Amino acid sequence: MATKLKKTFWTVLKEWALVTLGIIIYTMGWSIFLVPNNLVGGGVTGISSIIQYATGGAIKIGYSYFVLNAILIIAAIFIMGSSFGAKTIYAIVLASFGLTFFQGIIPHEIIETLALQNGKLMSTIMGGIMAGVGIGMSISQGGSTGGTDIIALIYTKYRNVSPGKVILFLDVIIICSSFFVPSVVSETGADGLVTTHLMPWQEKLTTVVYGLILVTVNSYVIDMYISGSQQSVQLFILSKKYEEIADSITHDLHRGVTVLDGKGWYTKQPTEVLMVLTRKTDLNLLLRHIKAIDSEAFLSVSSVNGVYGKGFSAIKGNAKKD
């Protein structure tokens, strides 16, 4: 019983730590690369950035981000459960703080070197990668950065559609709408004086294009991160010590094993083949167990596109009834 409680505690701690790290990466990407270049993204953060640019920075992203997410938090608690709601509330509060806090403490020299001097295209790519990794970390641990992420998680709970595609569709609508909202741009002259002016429509058009590139990179990175963390492998194991290997995998690694009857055509002798499905992240541990029992075991390892059922992903979609 004590071991089970300890494992549960460390599992929960790891999940919350990864959600925290994901939010920090997400907000740093916005604060360093996107906001200084007046770039617009998707989701609630994109809407909040439009509000900040329209008000000349009077209303920071973090404030409107928190307010706009309030209704979605309540929806997430009722639909996804209290655990999801708790992580989402934590993630949104932390993101709201980070989106405001990092804009005020990151030195201008760092932003100038990393973002402004490298141009908007490079900033779009770097910001999109950081935001995508941050969102992917949060989603993979049952949390969210709010906004369209919550909508995507609710939708993908019932449909086999990648979260990145749902987020991409919603984000395109938000980014295109930014073209019709005025944006106030601040510039620092050689004399140190700060001047403000409205962004011309030509520049707003390019901002929309950069925004579309941003959400494309963002959604691709999200799908890459989530599919990578959930990728599974299938093993076929041939060994004279198949019983010991099967017992070790079942009792020590807590993975299911299927014993298949086979026949070696060269020797014409019957043989048993073990089939195992496991997460890719557990593969090295499983191989060490097999090698410790039988270093001469013959193995075949292949990646599988999807594994559904107990211990893996849940089967989504509504069954049709006659």
Side-chain angles (χ1 to χ4, degrees), residues 45 47 64 111 151 174 242:
T45 314
I47 298 174
S64 52
I111 296 176
I151 299 174
I174 295 171
Y242 72 93

Side-chain angles (χ1 to χ4, degrees), residues 227-236 255-256 275-287 299-307 312:
S227 62
S229 63
Q230 296 181 350
Q231 189 174 357
S232 300
V233 293
Q234 179 176 265
L235 290 86
F236 287 104
R255 281 297 180 190
M275 185 183 74
V276 182
L277 289 166
T278 187
R279 298 289 188 192
K280 190 173 183 179
T281 53
D282 299 329
L283 178 60
N284 289 333
L285 180 60
L286 189 147
L287 293 177
L299 297 94
S300 171
V301 182
S302 59
S303 298
V304 290
N305 292 328
V307 181
F312 294 90

Side-chain angles (χ1 to χ4, degrees), residues 24-41:
I24 292 175
I25 294 174
Y26 176 76
T27 54
M28 288 286 285
W30 269 92
S31 301
I32 295 176
F33 294 101
L34 304 181
V35 174
N37 283 287
N38 293 290
L39 294 170
V40 176

Side-chain angles (χ1 to χ4, degrees), residues 5 14 19 64 66 68 70 75 86 89 122 153 167-168 220 222 231 270 272 309 319:
L5 291 175
K14 184 195 75 171
V19 170
S64 52
F66 181 79
L68 292 173
I89 292 173
M122 183 58 67
L153 282 176
I167 294 172
L168 176 61
Y220 180 78
I222 291 172
Q231 189 174 357
E272 283 71 30

Side-chain angles (χ1 to χ4, degrees), residues 184-226:
V184 179
V185 180
S186 299
E187 293 182 352
T188 303
D191 53 1
L193 296 177
V194 179
T195 59
T196 59
H197 62 87
L198 290 178
M199 182 182 293
W201 70 269
Q202 298 94 332
E203 190 173 346
K204 287 189 68 65
L205 181 61
T206 58
T207 300
V208 170
V209 175
Y210 283 127
L212 296 176
I213 296 174
L214 171 62
V215 297
T216 302
V217 173
N218 195 6
S219 63
Y220 180 78
V221 173
I222 291 172
D223 286 343
M224 286 287 290
Y225 186 94
I226 293 178

Side-chain angles (χ1 to χ4, degrees), residues 162-192:
S162 67
K165 291 181 180 179
V166 178
I167 294 172
L168 176 61
F169 175 77
L170 297 173
D171 289 351
V172 168
I173 297 176
I174 295 171
I175 290 173
C176 290
S177 66
S178 68
F179 179 79
F180 304 99
V181 181
S183 298
V184 179
V185 180
S186 299
E187 293 182 352
T188 303
D191 53 1

